[in-house]
């Protein structure tokens, strides 16, 4: 009798060990399974030590330098969608201070715990409407023309030129040629976490359409300063703008700040950011990520847990049914519920896999692609074992090399209750990782998966030494059989141990030194199992009853 294991594949916990295919494993831990052979990963390489154990990490690049941002909360980060942004902004949600943004000036100055500084995302609305009065003398022939009926409003502008939503409008005022309008305004936006430096005044001759006043006299000094932008702190100004010299139309009506509990920020092609709060899906103004109009919001039936982007659509997973939102612009998005009821039970488990998204449900890993939801691990692990072994409510994941890297367990778990796994949606291969990471981040530029293990960031599979694997075969079960010889085919024999189990008892542990056959302890058994541990690349295991068969 002879057994040939000439290809190595991953685990299928869904099946009892004796029902597995000959190439499948009862246990495959830290195994690199490529081209049918059994290989070792390299040890993770130390990258940087942090001040604390993070939940989220992000590699920020600026002028050729690398900086690690880290947070102790679950934070979602996106880069500025503006091409060649000179400020190199990034935006994020999930901090204790709400939605934030930072740039190369704020993030890197004044310390080394990055980002050092950031600002709140969203511009405030002035909380005082303008108070208007007339001044000046009408021209001699002014009575021959109709007075112009106006309304005024104003907006705050920050140091980067971002303009916020307008104040409530002033009362109505009628103005004749030769007359000017005095405005009394708020002295500033109050306590805000941003640098608002100026304000702009607009006037309207029809309800809802405002034009920029380009000649505002700030009444500073003897003659005053006439300009479009007026410094914050000036509370009395005069509109001296001729009727034919008004500027562009006010565009920021409805551009309100995002809610403080905005989460899960991702970005669509076309520069539209997407986030959620409770059951509401929210969209930003294109390329103006501080503006989140209420008119762009959609509501579902269930609390949203996480988001991912696929082409021009948003994948939304909830504590009930998943949804897909699609459309060409934020004002015309459509929300569609998928018919498969797979709830997401861990926000951090949601991973954008390119043309699909994967997340943890109570029954296994779910894939959403092409408007469909499928339970990808249906034939790999049953729901009861999934919930008991992998604690899906704690899973967080990353996409790397076409595979899903998942880590389970949390601060309340003992070390033996934490771990990780790798799942390939293409091949269905499932292996375990002997390393637990508190956070993970995939960097596209260097195609590297980074893991935060405690307070240290490490680069997966980038170390100089190999990491030992352990691969245990299925149980070969049948009539009592006598296996007396074995042979291991490998590329090298520097670190390789072979173990044999007969009827649940270990009968051999042997360092393998060459491809020559060797004898096994005598005896028959009904259940045989074989295990390899080490770092050498193995291509075959042959077990036989005679030398001729070997």
């Amino acid at each position: 009798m002879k057994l040939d294991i000439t290809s190595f594949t991953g685990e299928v916990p869904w099946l009892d060990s004796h029902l597995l295919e000959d190439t499948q494993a009862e246990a495959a831990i830290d195994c690199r399974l490529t081209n049918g052979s059994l290989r070792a990963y390299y040890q993770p390489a130390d990258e940087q030590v942090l001040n604390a154990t993070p939940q989220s990490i992000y590699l920020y690049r600026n002028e050729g330098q690398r900086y690690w941002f880290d947070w102790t909360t679950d934070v979602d980060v996106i880069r500025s969608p503006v091409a060649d942004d000179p400020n190199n902004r990034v935006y994020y949600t999930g901090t204790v201070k709400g939605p934030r943004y930072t740039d190369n000036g704020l993030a890197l100055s004044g310390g080394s715990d990055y980002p050092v500084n950031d600002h709140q995302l969203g511009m405030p609305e002035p909380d005082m409407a303008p108070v208007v009065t007339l001044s000046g003398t009408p021209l001699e022939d002014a009575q021959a023309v109709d007075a112009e009926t106006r309304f005024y409003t104003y907006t705050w502008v920050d140091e980067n030129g971002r303009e916020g939503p307008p104040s409530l409008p002033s009362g109505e005022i009628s103005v004749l040629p030769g007359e000017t309008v005095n405005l009394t305004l708020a002295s500033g936006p109050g306590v805000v976490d941003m640098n608002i430096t100026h304000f702009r005044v607009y006037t309207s001759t029809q309800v809802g359409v405002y034009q920029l006043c380009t000649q505002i006299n700030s009444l500073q000094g003897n003659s005053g300063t006439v300009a479009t932008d007026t410094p914050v702190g000036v509370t009395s100004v005069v509109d001296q703008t001729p009727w034919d010299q008004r500027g562009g139309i006010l565009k920021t009506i409805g551009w309100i700040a995002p809610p403080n509990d905005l989460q899960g920020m991702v970005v669509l092609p076309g520069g539209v950011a997407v986030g959620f709060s409770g059951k509401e899906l929210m969209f930003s103004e294109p390329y103006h990520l501080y503006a989140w109009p209420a008119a762009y919001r959609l509501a579902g039936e269930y609390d949203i847990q996480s988001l991912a982007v696929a082409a021009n659509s948003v994948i939304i997973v909830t504590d009930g049914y998943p949804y897909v939102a699609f459309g060409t612009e934020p004002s015309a998005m459509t929300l569609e519920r998928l018919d498969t009821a797979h709830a997401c039970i861990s926000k951090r488990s949601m991973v954008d896999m390119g043309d699909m998204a994967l997340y943890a449900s109570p029954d296994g890993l779910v894939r959403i692609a092409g408007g469909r939801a499928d339970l990808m691990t249906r034939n790999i692990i049953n729901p009861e074992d999934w919930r008991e072994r992998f604690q899906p409510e704690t899973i967080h994941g990353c996409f790397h090399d076409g595979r899903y890297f998942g880590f389970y367990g949390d601060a309340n778990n003992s070390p033996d209750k934490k771990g990780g796994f790798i799942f390939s949606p293409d091949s269905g291969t499932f292996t375990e990782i002997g390393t637990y990471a508190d956070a993970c981040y995939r960097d596209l530029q260097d195609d590297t998966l980074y893991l935060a293990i405690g307070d240290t960031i490490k680069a997966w599979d980038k170390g100089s030494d190999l990491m030992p694997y352990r691969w245990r075969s299925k149980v070969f079960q049948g009539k009592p059989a006598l296996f007396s010889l074995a042979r291991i085919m490998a590329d090298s024999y520097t670190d390789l141990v072979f173990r044999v189990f007969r009827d649940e008892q270990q009968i051999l542990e042997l360092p393998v030194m060459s491809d020559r056959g060797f004898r096994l302890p005598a005896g028959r058994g009904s259940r045989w199992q074989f295990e390899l541990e080490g770092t050498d690349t193995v291509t075959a295991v042959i077990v036989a009853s005679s030398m001729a068969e070997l």
Side-chain angles (χ1 to χ4, degrees):
M1 186 174 179
K2 178 183 176 183
L3 292 176
D4 287 333
I5 304 174
T6 57
S7 181
F8 299 87
T9 57
E11 300 178 16
V12 185
W14 181 71
L15 292 172
D16 287 339
S17 184
H18 69 284
L19 298 176
L20 298 172
E21 301 290 337
D22 288 355
T23 63
Q24 291 173 338
E26 180 184 278
I29 301 171
D30 293 327
C31 299
R32 185 199 293 270
L33 303 176
T34 56
N35 303 322
S37 61
L38 174 60
R39 302 171 184 266
Y41 289 103
Y42 283 94
Q43 296 276 4
D46 287 353
E47 174 79 10
Q48 183 163 329
V49 177
L50 306 173
N51 293 328
T53 298
Q55 273 198 35
S56 305
I57 54 176
Y58 177 81
L59 182 55
Y60 182 79
R61 287 182 166 87
N62 190 68
E63 297 182 349
Q65 300 298 312
R66 294 155 51 105
Y67 305 88
W68 279 103
F69 291 2
D70 66 280
W71 299 269
T72 56
T73 56
D74 173 26
V75 171
D76 295 285
V77 187
I78 61 171
R79 297 175 60 189
S80 170
V82 178
D84 301 320
D85 178 5
N87 297 306
N88 197 8
R89 291 188 186 94
V90 293
Y91 302 81
Y92 38 93
T93 56
T95 73
V96 295
K97 296 186 289 185
R100 314 290 291 178
Y101 81 92
T102 193
D103 56 32
N104 47 20
L106 291 167
L108 309 179
S109 302
S112 58
D113 189 6
Y114 305 116
V116 180
N117 300 292
D118 54 20
H119 281 333
Q120 69 186 58
L121 182 61
M123 294 287 290
E125 174 185 321
D127 56 9
M128 171 184 169
V131 177
V132 294
T133 57
L134 286 174
S135 62
T137 302
L139 299 178
E140 290 184 4
D141 58 351
Q143 301 300 329
V145 299
D146 292 334
E148 183 182 58
T149 300
R150 303 180 192 174
F151 301 87
Y152 280 86
T153 187
Y154 62 108
T155 61
W156 301 126
V157 183
D158 76 1
E159 60 185 336
N160 297 308
R162 302 189 313 162
E163 186 172 8
S167 68
L168 291 173
S170 69
E172 180 182 306
I173 191 169
S174 296
V175 185
L176 290 168
E179 292 181 321
T180 57
V181 179
N182 304 318
L183 296 97
T184 301
L185 316 166
S187 61
V191 180
V192 293
D193 186 10
M194 60 183 65
N195 189 15
I196 292 177
T197 56
H198 293 79
F199 63 85
R200 291 174 184 159
V201 176
Y202 292 82
T203 189
S204 169
T205 56
Q206 52 182 309
V207 176
V209 179
Y210 289 87
Q211 284 184 276
L212 180 65
C213 299
T214 59
Q215 296 184 23
I216 295 295
N217 191 325
S218 60
L219 304 178
Q220 294 176 322
N222 294 327
S223 59
T225 300
V226 177
T228 299
D229 290 348
T230 305
V232 166
V234 177
T235 59
S236 296
V237 297
V238 177
D239 177 22
Q240 298 177 342
T241 308
W243 296 4
D244 59 352
Q245 293 185 29
R246 291 172 184 154
I249 293 174
L250 174 63
K251 298 179 179 180
T252 63
I253 296 174
W255 285 25
I256 62 175
N260 199 57
D261 62 351
L262 185 76
Q263 298 182 63
M265 190 155 55
V266 294
V267 64
L268 282 165
V272 177
V274 191
F276 66 89
S277 172
K279 295 180 174 66
E280 282 194 305
L281 185 69
M282 304 178 180
F283 299 86
S284 78
E285 194 70 27
Y287 299 104
H288 297 284
L289 274 58
Y290 65 93
W292 296 71
Y296 296 172
R297 299 182 182 183
L298 301 172
E301 304 168 76
Y302 304 93
D303 284 337
I304 299 172
Q305 299 297 315
S306 195
L307 307 175
V309 170
N312 289 316
S313 63
V314 185
I315 296 171
I316 305 109
V317 294
T318 74
D319 56 10
Y321 287 83
Y323 293 76
V324 174
F326 52 90
T328 56
E329 56 185 46
S331 61
M333 300 296 289
T334 299
L335 189 63
E336 181 178 291
R337 193 182 86 173
L338 305 184
D339 288 335
T340 307
H342 289 304
C344 176
I345 57 174
S346 171
K347 174 186 175 296
R348 298 176 72 202
S349 71
M350 180 77 152
V351 172
D352 184 344
M353 305 283 287
D355 58 348
M356 70 180 82
L358 288 180
Y359 66 93
S361 79
D363 299 326
L365 282 179
V366 177
R367 175 185 68 179
I368 297 182
R372 293 186 43 152
D374 301 296
L375 186 61
M376 291 296 288
T377 53
R378 183 188 309 277
N379 297 322
I380 296 175
I381 185 168
N382 65 54
E384 293 78 13
D385 289 341
W386 168 252
R387 291 190 288 267
E388 181 179 349
R389 288 184 56 184
F390 297 105
Q391 306 169 61
E393 69 280 0
T394 70
I395 289 175
H396 63 93
C398 271
F399 173 57
H400 180 60
D401 284 347
R403 293 169 293 171
Y404 182 100
F405 283 69
F407 301 92
Y408 60 90
D410 55 30
N412 298 320
N413 291 115
S414 59
D416 61 337
K417 294 293 185 180
K418 298 179 180 181
F421 60 87
I422 303 173
F423 173 69
S424 172
D426 292 333
S427 65
T429 302
F430 186 93
T431 59
E432 295 186 64
I433 307 172
T435 301
Y436 173 77
D438 296 278
C440 55
Y441 174 78
R442 177 204 179 198
D443 184 69
L444 295 175
Q445 291 191 38
D446 59 17
D447 192 26
T448 299
L449 176 65
Y450 292 98
L451 308 178
I453 301 174
D455 63 356
T456 303
I457 296 178
K458 298 175 181 283
W460 171 257
D461 196 31
K462 296 293 185 180
S464 56
D465 297 325
L466 291 168
M467 179 168 57
Y469 56 73
R470 184 170 69 87
W471 189 91
R472 180 177 287 198
S473 75
K474 65 170 285 185
V475 172
F476 293 89
Q477 178 176 293
K479 294 180 180 180
L482 173 66
F483 289 113
S484 57
L485 296 151
R487 183 183 181 192
I488 312 298
M489 308 297 292
D491 290 355
S492 59
Y493 298 91
T494 58
D495 179 24
L496 185 61
V497 173
F498 181 62
R499 299 185 182 95
V500 179
F501 300 84
R502 183 175 63 207
D503 295 333
E504 282 76 46
Q505 299 295 316
Q506 181 176 316
I507 63 170
L508 177 70
E509 178 173 306
L510 179 71
V512 182
M513 308 304 293
S514 72
D515 66 349
R516 298 182 61 182
F518 51 88
R519 292 194 174 276
L520 306 181
R524 291 180 178 273
S526 300
R527 293 168 61 86
W528 291 83
Q529 202 168 17
F530 311 99
E531 183 173 282
L532 294 163
E533 184 173 343
T535 58
D536 293 316
T537 298
V538 178
T539 56
V541 174
I542 306 168
V543 184
S545 300
S546 68
M547 185 61 73
E549 290 177 330
L550 193 64

